[in-house]
Amino acid sequence: MAIATINPATGETLKTFEPLSDGEITAKLDLAQQAFEKYRKTSFTERSHWLQQAAIILEREKADFGKLMTLEMGKPLKAAIAEVEKCAFVCRYYAENAPGFMADVTVKTDASHSFIRYQPLGIILAVMPWNFPFWQVFRFAAPALMAGNVGLLKHASNVPQCALAIADILHRAGFPAGAFQTLLIGAAQVADLMADDRVKAATLTGSEPAGASLAAACGKQIKKTVLELGGSDPFIVLESADLEAAVTTAVTARMLNSGQSCIAAKRFIVAEAVADKFEKLLLEKFQALKVGDPMLPDTDLGPLATVDILEDLDKQVKTAVKSGGKVLIGGNPIPDSPGNFYPPTIIIDIPVDTAIAQEEFFGPVALLFRVPDIDAAIKLANDSPFGLGASAWTNNQQESDRLIQEIEAGAVFINSMVKSDPRLPFGGIKRSGYGRELSIQGIHEFVNIKTVWVK
């Protein structure tokens, strides 16, 4: 894929970039290593101040950054601005809490003094996706920089201006030169980068194949990775649920980011006793959604980020229909549109034993399944190669306890949609990846957890 800004609402190529040469990559690595040797010795007070300044810049210029995101990957402007605000939140969270997270932890042993010390590793490579082009980066950068690491960003090739803007924000906030750099490079250049001894670890948010490729490259070098990959998150609705609240949240949970989110609700698993009503209400709310120009404030659903994503989603829908599914609404790209627009779509009656029922639909497509009871709901929810998040709706405490205990996922939200929060760890199991971002667990992923024993 070319490194370029292509407006997904119009198909117009606005700006292109040449990938960095091998010599330019080497120069950036040299600068990063030089920066780390000094940056690791800075105080938490200095790092906190710089991160707070980044939050101030984000909030002050949120409208401009929001427009840039919308221009490059098509999310509705109101959602893009909210994303910038969330980035400011994560900056402040780690600016305030990282000193405590990184403090020595005393452990009583037979030593005179024994404790755990957390120390930075060095250069960390972040391979980030286009769907949340600011948030995904800042949720890595904030803890990594506060821990004393330095960062290199290889962003998705369709959001190069977002990538450059993030590096500029951190530079303007006061972080030393080389502490955080954007690399405009192609995917094929990542393996060579990981082979450099100065790069100590990597994190990736993206597709399964991309995660497997990075993990393989890092495995050859014995370097740590954190992977946050795909999801086919279940949204379970049982008979005791508040149906109105569940349906309203279901629409938001499926249409978040025009359906292009790893933690978007994708498989709606509904108890037979309330399935007819849920289906009717969901259909009505899907019909009311406005698809159009993502820059307009009343737009609910913008274009998909690229032509390839649109074509892949349409193929999946067609396969689901051939496998026995029935389309209630949508089901085809919006005709005569210059952009990558796909309508809100609901598919019912897909046989659960078909291959397509196991896939992640990355767009505004809801798969609706009916089950007789909670046992069947949990079984179907877990019948997936993914295990990122799950939302479940019930007002029965015993059912709630079972759902929390038995659903195989990195997160279970009861009577709410799945979301990331800086105060809670985020990540998945199975083919959704491993490791955790955010919270105290996130900052400890890329540090040397050093045991110290003194007699």
Side-chain angles (χ1 to χ4, degrees):
M1 181 186 290
I3 302 175
T5 300
I6 302 173
N7 187 340
T10 66
E12 181 184 4
T13 299
L14 303 175
K15 197 169 185 178
T16 59
F17 298 82
E18 285 296 320
L20 295 178
S21 67
D22 290 344
E24 289 170 321
I25 294 172
T26 298
K28 286 185 175 288
L29 277 168
D30 290 342
L31 178 59
Q33 185 60 36
Q34 292 164 14
F36 175 64
E37 296 304 329
K38 296 179 181 179
Y39 183 70
R40 68 188 302 177
K41 300 173 184 176
T42 59
S43 67
F44 284 115
T45 300
E46 290 174 298
R47 299 173 203 167
S48 294
H49 172 71
W50 295 327
L51 206 52
Q52 292 281 14
Q53 289 301 117
I56 291 170
I57 294 170
L58 285 162
E59 290 178 335
R60 185 178 65 220
E61 301 175 29
K62 62 184 179 182
D64 292 336
F65 296 137
K67 288 178 183 176
L68 181 58
M69 270 191 272
T70 299
L71 187 70
E72 288 206 300
M73 56 72 57
K75 71 174 63 202
L77 180 58
K78 57 188 175 185
I81 292 173
E83 181 174 330
V84 180
E85 292 171 338
K86 191 171 183 179
C87 293
F89 177 22
V90 77
C91 287
R92 290 202 169 94
Y93 174 79
Y94 278 107
E96 295 166 4
N97 292 285
F101 293 161
M102 294 288 289
D104 291 349
V105 177
T106 298
V107 180
K108 295 185 73 172
T109 68
D110 56 336
S112 303
H113 183 207
S114 51
F115 60 95
I116 301 164
R117 175 159 292 176
Y118 303 104
Q119 294 180 312
L121 296 178
I123 301 173
I124 313 297
L125 174 68
V127 181
M128 293 288 107
W130 49 264
N131 57 339
F132 293 94
F134 268 58
W135 169 243
Q136 302 279 12
V137 177
F138 274 96
R139 78 184 193 189
F140 152 74
L145 290 169
M146 282 304 300
N149 295 303
V150 300
L152 293 177
L153 169 64
K154 187 275 181 237
H155 217 325
S157 295
N158 59 324
V159 290
Q161 293 189 70
C162 287
L164 293 170
I166 291 167
D168 182 62
I169 289 167
L170 293 169
H171 174 71
R172 285 194 282 147
F175 284 96
F180 189 93
Q181 299 178 81
T182 283
L183 305 181
L184 294 184
I185 60 175
Q189 295 171 280
V190 171
D192 287 343
L193 197 61
M194 287 311 305
D196 192 293
D197 288 340
R198 293 168 294 183
V199 179
K200 301 303 182 185
T203 179
L204 178 144
T205 298
S207 68
E208 251 186 282
S213 176
L214 182 73
C218 290
K220 290 179 181 178
Q221 307 297 329
I222 320 296
K223 293 180 181 179
K224 184 174 184 180
T225 51
V226 169
L227 304 179
E228 195 266 281
L229 308 178
S232 186
D233 286 9
F235 188 103
I236 299 170
V237 182
L238 299 179
E239 187 175 354
S240 66
D242 180 337
L243 210 58
E244 292 285 347
V247 172
T248 298
T249 305
V251 177
T252 303
R254 174 63 279 201
M255 296 302 159
L256 176 69
N257 206 36
S258 302
Q260 301 166 113
S261 171
C262 52
I263 55 170
K266 299 185 177 81
R267 296 179 296 141
F268 295 84
I269 301 169
V270 186
E272 188 66 56
V274 293
D276 285 344
K277 187 174 181 182
F278 182 90
E279 181 182 302
K280 178 177 180 293
L281 291 172
L282 188 68
L283 179 60
E284 289 174 356
K285 290 185 181 296
F286 270 40
Q287 289 170 333
L289 292 170
K290 182 175 180 179
V291 183
D293 185 348
M295 291 291 185
L296 298 178
D298 59 343
T299 295
D300 298 305
L301 203 65
L304 299 180
T306 69
V307 172
D308 288 345
I309 294 166
L310 176 72
E311 292 176 349
D312 288 346
L313 183 68
D314 191 46
K315 287 177 184 176
Q316 286 181 299
V317 171
K318 300 296 189 288
T319 300
V321 172
K322 288 179 182 178
S323 300
K326 177 184 175 184
V327 174
L328 293 185
I329 182 177
N332 289 292
I334 295 177
D336 304 320
S337 170
N340 312 320
F341 289 95
Y342 202 90
T345 298
I346 300 173
I347 307 176
I348 62 172
D349 298 339
I350 300 176
V352 297
D353 59 350
T354 56
I356 195 66
Q358 297 283 323
E359 293 185 9
E360 176 182 27
F361 284 64
F362 218 63
V365 178
L367 311 183
L368 183 57
F369 301 91
R370 296 174 179 235
V371 291
D373 51 33
I374 186 173
D375 293 325
I378 293 172
K379 183 176 185 299
L380 182 54
N382 290 340
D383 187 19
S384 169
F386 301 107
L388 193 52
S391 174
W393 294 73
T394 176
N395 283 313
N396 179 297
Q397 187 60 52
Q398 287 184 327
E399 289 179 341
S400 178
D401 291 343
R402 282 197 62 191
L403 292 161
I404 292 167
Q405 182 64 26
E406 297 180 32
I407 290 178
E408 298 167 355
V412 175
F413 281 60
I414 302 296
N415 298 330
S416 182
M417 63 181 278
V418 179
K419 58 186 178 182
S420 57
D421 184 316
R423 297 163 293 191
L424 294 168
F426 181 86
I429 59 172
K430 300 195 281 189
R431 299 192 76 85
S432 289
Y434 50 75
R436 290 296 179 265
E437 297 177 286
L438 304 176
S439 189
I440 187 172
Q441 286 78 15
I443 200 170
H444 287 166
E445 286 285 5
F446 295 120
V447 297
N448 175 18
I449 303 175
K450 180 183 286 186
T451 293
V452 180
W453 195 99
V454 180
K455 185 72 171 178

